[in-house]
Amino acid sequence: MQGDSIEQAPDPAQLALRGLRVLEIGTGPALAYTGKLFADFGAEVVKVEAPGGDAWEHMPPLLDGPEPRSALWAWLNTNKRSVTADPVEDAGWLEQLVQTCDVVLDARALDAGLSVLERPIAGATPAPVEIVFTWFGENGPYSGYAGSEAVCRALSGAVFNSGPVDGPPHMPHALQTGIAAGLMAFSAAVAAWMGRAHGSRRCVLSVHEAVFHTVEMEAGMVQDGRHAPRLGVNRFCGTHPTGIYATAQGWIGIFTHTLPQWVALCEAIGRPELAHDPRYANGAERMARADEIDAMLRAALQTRTAQQWFEELGARKHPTVLVPTMAELLAQQVHRQRHAFVPVTVGAARCEGPIVPLRLGAAGPLRGGAAPARGADDAHYRGAGLMHLPARAAGPAQRLPLAGTTIVDLTMGWAGPLAARTAADLGAEVIKVESTVYPDWWRGANFTEEFYRERLYEKNANFNLMNRNKRGITLDLARPEGRQLLLQLVAQADAVIENYSAEVLPKLGLDDAALRKVNPRLVMVSMPAFGLGNAWSDTRAYGGTLEQATGLPLYTGHADGPPAMTSYAYGDPVGGLNAGAALLLALHVQRETGRGMQLNLSQVEAMLPMAAPFVLAQSVHGSAPTRAGNRHPLDAPHGCWRCAGPDDWLVVSVRMDAQWQALCGVLERPDLAADAGLAQAQGRRAQQDRLDAAVAAWAATRSADAAMQQLQQTGVSAGVVRSIPRLMDDPHLRARGFWQQMERAHVGRYLSGSTPFRQDGRPLPIRQVAPTLGEHTAQVLAERLGLTPTQLDALERQGITGRSARPKTSRNAA
């Protein structure tokens, strides 16, 4: 299949956000990506730029031309309009412009500090939807800190566990933090727009808290007593092998989690005698012998090419992917068929970058576009553009924005449940459907006698974190009665979301076509690793597999080290955040038009924006940069330094020249402050070894917390590399009420994080703890389908419903 047989082309008349005017003011990748999502779905995004532009216009890779501009900046700003304004001199005109906008994206505080928010930019009546970007929120001990993407990442727990055991931990490209925060800001904005008539229209985002959501699984592992220290490059999740290996030609990524997968791997490499050896019976045993296993695999995998291993192990249903270079990634047919790479133009220059991965067919996104010249639209918006009338709706804030929306949740694990939770947190009624024979695998996958006797399936903290604000029912979808009940629920729902393997629902007769027969206006979200309808759709994948398949590990880590994963099952939260945003967009289209749609999401494609700097470099220059460790393309000094305590690390990120002078004062290095060659970032980048040595010598004699506080007092962006256990007692998050204490049957009290955005200064409420298995079956089936107590009892006796997990063999007995 080729072209539009895989993915329907967008229709400008049907784009999801056409008709909206959005003001984007401030700088940084989180703001820019939020605005990009609006613009690529048809909104009129007015980007307010300072007359001198912003630093990211110089972010590599640079396009050729008399005034080289960043291809990455261009990709972030496709399909936007540009105006120039001085926030003080043009305050009156900006106020007029805001009056014409439906949505305001305000990131001024990231550069100017929170004091800028004392002068509201969105003072119109009725008010537009307003998303305010902050580094650490509007209150709490860190609220006045100088931030950066790297500092927020360090303080959020998303750095500590990555990298070599002895350190320093790895920090990926700053764009990746911006993408994650931008997705959450976009979801908040779309939901607020949908609920503008009855919900709060102002949300304040903490970039710090947003990044935490990419490592949220670790907070569950801490509470389960399963959290591990940094285990080394490509070693995490308590199982092995989960790495990246050189083959006779190319790199292969494998992720061996279950015993059947280990058996398949052993047989494939010609070592069947190890398949059932008790020394390798589970992930913990294999992790203890990781060096031995890696040595064996390095030798065995050199006997074939990566493509051959991909085919061989894939046929055995082992989670395996090619780990492509950027040249190989851009050539992969599965992505070309889906138009995953699109043209980006700025002036006469042209390159290719990743498409926005929220696929809504005719409703968008656009397949590429042009970035505006700075100030290109000044004349229009200082004249006729001020006559635009926004489509706002007035009303008091009475309820959450998605109240009244019903979603059937057929997901398991992290990515799918996180996507559904996005809607649940915003007020939707989410009905989670499980089976007593096949419960959500994040409840546990080791089906021992103890698993059933002790109800271990009720005690997994990650399940509890990912499924808050949902109601839970059980239905055996392998039986006609269970399928019929599901169809009746779907008939009344607004959306269904699922993340089964691609072949599961068609085998059950519950694919999109079957569901649409009972509900033509249904939104259906499917999210396999490589999307539906292509040669790789059946590829088995975990979060780590998704990261491997983007090629990102080849460009992550230290220059003298191997290709490196982030060690946090990165693809799962990123896939979940993208699917959640896509779900909200599709629900918006459904409300506006009455139309349903199927969302064919590829979770690998959802990761591609994280690789945008490297994809664009390949397109522009014909090659991608090599691994650069913890250095930044623009900022210097920038890195992660060891402090006095054991495994104690500090991130310092000098974003502005004034911060450099302040840093020299703290280091007591007047010689560096007086060196004219270091006054600007370009000169400092040329002498990074010298600067790294100066920061390292200073940090080595101090605790990371003391060093952070001393630097922050002078306005230098710095942050402790928090481990997740320490993060759960972080004074800032405690003061902000980010950790909400919950209580649930079978586990007692536990801590749940909050959404990274706040309405009216408060975290969104946790209205319902994660359901116990089948907790709400009777209630939901009685309320929605009118089933009587007698009918409900009969369903439970037949094993179609239930509140206790049971082995597969007991299905026949029922």
Side-chain angles (χ1 to χ4, degrees):
M1 292 185 289
Q2 300 289 328
D4 292 343
S5 64
I6 291 286
E7 177 66 27
Q8 184 179 4
D11 178 353
Q14 298 184 50
L15 292 174
L17 298 174
R18 70 195 185 286
L20 288 186
R21 178 179 281 188
V22 178
L23 186 76
E24 177 188 310
I25 184 167
T27 62
L31 171 74
Y33 194 67
T34 308
K36 175 180 177 64
L37 290 167
F38 273 100
D40 284 3
F41 279 98
E44 177 189 354
V45 177
V46 185
K47 180 179 179 64
V48 179
E49 301 189 70
D54 70 62
W56 274 64
E57 288 189 57
H58 308 287
M59 178 68 75
L62 299 180
L63 294 159
D64 294 332
E67 293 185 22
R69 296 185 79 183
S70 165
L72 183 55
W73 180 92
W75 175 78
L76 283 167
N77 290 289
T78 51
N79 300 310
K80 298 179 185 177
R81 317 283 182 89
S82 172
V83 298
T84 53
D86 180 282
V88 177
E89 295 180 7
D90 292 308
W93 171 68
L94 281 174
E95 185 176 335
Q96 287 181 287
L97 184 58
V98 168
Q99 304 290 329
T100 73
C101 294
D102 303 292
V103 178
V104 172
L105 307 175
D106 183 357
R108 295 173 300 153
L110 299 185
D111 281 336
L114 293 177
S115 61
V116 73
L117 301 180
E118 297 171 4
R119 303 185 298 277
I121 194 168
T125 303
V129 166
E130 182 183 13
I131 307 296
V132 176
F133 294 76
T134 68
W135 291 120
F136 299 102
E138 290 182 289
N139 58 15
Y142 303 163
S143 59
Y145 275 13
S148 73
E149 286 78 22
V151 166
C152 286
R153 194 174 190 92
L155 280 165
S156 73
V159 169
F160 187 89
N161 265 33
S162 289
V165 172
D166 295 331
H170 290 159
M171 296 190 298
H173 196 290
L175 176 71
Q176 297 180 31
T177 294
I179 296 283
L183 281 165
M184 285 176 252
F186 180 71
S187 291
V190 170
W193 178 252
M194 291 172 66
R196 63 194 179 278
H198 55 70
S200 176
R201 290 178 288 275
R202 184 176 190 268
C203 295
V204 178
L205 178 90
S206 161
V207 175
H208 172 228
E209 292 169 15
V211 183
F212 164 76
H213 285 77
T214 65
V215 294
E216 189 174 4
M217 177 182 76
E218 300 289 316
M221 295 178 71
V222 168
Q223 297 185 78
D224 279 345
R226 297 183 292 116
H227 189 265
R230 191 167 53 255
L231 297 171
V233 177
N234 299 328
R235 293 182 182 174
F236 63 104
C237 289
T239 188
H240 200 73
T242 59
I244 297 164
Y245 301 88
T247 70
Q249 180 181 337
W251 297 88
I252 197 74
I254 63 176
F255 206 104
T256 312
H257 186 64
T258 67
L259 181 58
Q261 290 164 3
W262 169 250
V263 171
L265 179 62
C266 291
E267 292 174 346
I269 65 172
R271 296 297 301 273
E273 75 279 7
L274 300 180
H276 298 287
D277 188 320
R279 294 177 298 164
Y280 310 101
N282 56 53
E285 294 284 356
R286 295 194 297 274
M287 182 65 82
R289 295 167 174 81
D291 289 342
E292 171 194 332
I293 291 172
D294 281 346
M296 176 183 70
L297 286 175
R298 278 194 290 267
L301 294 173
Q302 286 283 353
T303 61
R304 302 186 195 181
T305 67
Q307 181 65 38
Q308 288 170 330
W309 283 118
F310 174 59
E311 294 171 1
E312 167 73 19
L313 289 167
R316 296 174 183 268
K317 298 186 176 181
H318 183 285
T320 306
V321 289
L322 302 171
V323 183
T325 64
M326 291 300 102
E328 291 166 342
L329 181 71
L330 280 165
Q332 284 180 340
Q333 188 64 20
V334 66
H335 295 310
R336 286 294 170 186
Q337 287 177 340
R338 288 176 56 88
H339 305 279
F341 303 109
V342 294
V344 176
T345 59
V346 53
R350 176 186 169 104
C351 58
E352 278 192 315
I355 196 171
V356 166
L358 284 56
R359 300 304 193 103
L360 272 65
L366 292 168
R367 292 180 179 171
R374 189 187 313 143
D377 302 287
D378 277 339
H380 174 70
Y381 289 104
R382 290 181 184 271
L386 294 176
M387 303 302 293
H388 177 84
L389 294 176
R392 300 179 191 150
Q398 299 172 326
R399 54 180 180 161
L400 291 168
L402 293 188
T405 302
T406 301
I407 298 167
V408 175
D409 178 5
L410 300 177
T411 66
M412 297 185 179
W414 189 356
L418 174 59
R421 193 189 75 182
T422 299
D425 285 345
L426 290 161
E429 180 180 5
V430 175
I431 302 171
K432 182 177 181 68
V433 181
E434 301 177 77
S435 163
T436 57
V437 177
Y438 294 110
D440 185 325
W441 63 261
W442 225 353
R443 289 184 182 272
N446 189 15
F447 301 120
T448 63
E449 190 273 336
E450 181 188 20
F451 177 82
Y452 300 103
R453 184 187 71 246
E454 301 296 328
R455 291 184 179 263
L456 298 183
Y457 52 87
E458 299 292 10
K459 300 177 182 180
N460 187 293
N462 282 319
F463 176 88
N464 296 337
L465 295 180
M466 228 36 66
N467 291 284
R468 67 180 182 228
N469 288 328
K470 302 178 184 180
R471 296 207 287 176
I473 70 170
T474 50
L475 291 174
D476 188 343
L477 300 182
R479 298 168 67 179
E481 300 90 341
R483 292 194 293 273
Q484 184 57 40
L485 290 168
L486 179 71
L487 289 171
Q488 291 178 49
L489 288 173
V490 169
Q492 302 177 17
D494 299 290
V496 171
I497 181 167
E498 61 91 11
N499 68 341
Y500 294 135
S501 297
E503 73 276 8
V504 172
L505 287 184
K507 284 182 179 178
L508 293 173
L510 294 171
D511 59 5
D512 177 69
L515 300 184
R516 200 163 301 285
K517 283 183 181 179
V518 300
N519 187 346
R521 65 183 291 278
L522 186 72
V523 167
M524 175 71 169
V525 182
S526 297
M527 46 191 299
F530 287 95
L532 298 172
N534 62 70
W536 292 358
S537 292
D538 292 338
T539 301
R540 298 294 198 275
Y542 294 109
T545 316
L546 305 172
E547 183 178 2
Q548 293 167 343
T550 64
L552 263 178
L554 300 183
Y555 307 93
T556 304
H558 304 308
D560 58 351
M565 298 163 67
T566 58
S567 301
Y568 291 109
Y570 208 11
D572 277 323
V574 173
L577 294 173
N578 276 278
L583 171 62
L584 294 177
L585 257 186
L587 288 169
H588 164 70
V589 172
Q590 182 193 65
R591 287 192 183 186
E592 295 292 312
T593 68
R595 295 196 313 268
M597 64 180 72
Q598 182 182 26
L599 278 63
N600 179 358
L601 185 88
S602 158
Q603 290 196 67
V604 171
E605 196 175 282
M607 285 290 295
L608 293 182
M610 300 290 192
F614 314 109
V615 172
L616 289 159
Q618 181 68 42
S619 178
V620 172
H621 300 306
S623 63
T626 56
R627 290 188 292 281
N630 290 333
R631 289 181 173 173
H632 191 278
L634 297 178
D635 302 340
H638 180 283
C640 181
W641 286 276
R642 186 184 295 276
C643 293
D647 215 8
D648 204 17
W649 300 88
L650 176 75
V651 164
V652 178
S653 178
V654 173
R655 298 177 58 235
M656 294 171 272
D657 294 336
Q659 289 186 345
W660 165 244
Q661 293 297 322
L663 175 63
C664 290
V666 173
L667 299 181
E668 298 181 348
R669 291 293 303 268
D671 58 316
L672 297 178
D675 188 332
L678 302 176
Q680 295 180 325
Q682 182 177 359
R684 296 194 295 275
R685 289 196 299 272
Q687 299 190 51
Q688 289 192 84
D689 288 344
R690 177 186 177 196
L691 305 187
D692 287 350
V695 178
W698 177 83
T701 62
R702 293 161 172 80
S703 76
D705 276 281
M708 174 180 72
Q709 292 166 15
Q710 187 175 355
L711 289 169
Q712 285 287 355
Q713 285 170 1
T714 66
V716 177
S717 303
V720 176
V721 178
R722 289 267 187 255
S723 67
I724 295 292
R726 290 188 63 195
L727 186 75
M728 297 186 72
D729 198 33
D730 181 270
H732 177 72
L733 295 179
R734 288 282 189 185
R736 281 175 54 76
F738 176 79
W739 296 113
Q740 299 189 47
Q741 188 170 89
M742 313 306 299
E743 189 160 359
R744 180 182 178 276
H746 305 290
V747 295
R749 294 182 179 179
Y750 66 98
L751 293 179
S752 174
S754 303
T755 57
F757 47 84
R758 300 192 175 200
Q759 298 178 342
D760 304 318
R762 298 185 301 274
L764 297 187
I766 298 179
R767 311 179 308 280
Q768 164 77 46
V769 296
T772 57
L773 187 64
E775 179 179 355
H776 304 105
T777 303
Q779 182 182 3
V780 168
L781 298 185
E783 288 177 0
R784 292 192 162 267
L785 306 185
L787 269 62
T788 66
T790 300
Q791 291 172 311
L792 292 168
D793 289 344
L795 289 171
E796 188 158 355
R797 285 196 307 273
Q798 296 167 37
I800 295 164
T801 65
R803 299 187 60 172
S804 299
R806 56 197 176 93
K808 181 179 179 180
T809 53
S810 68
R811 172 186 281 160
N812 296 332

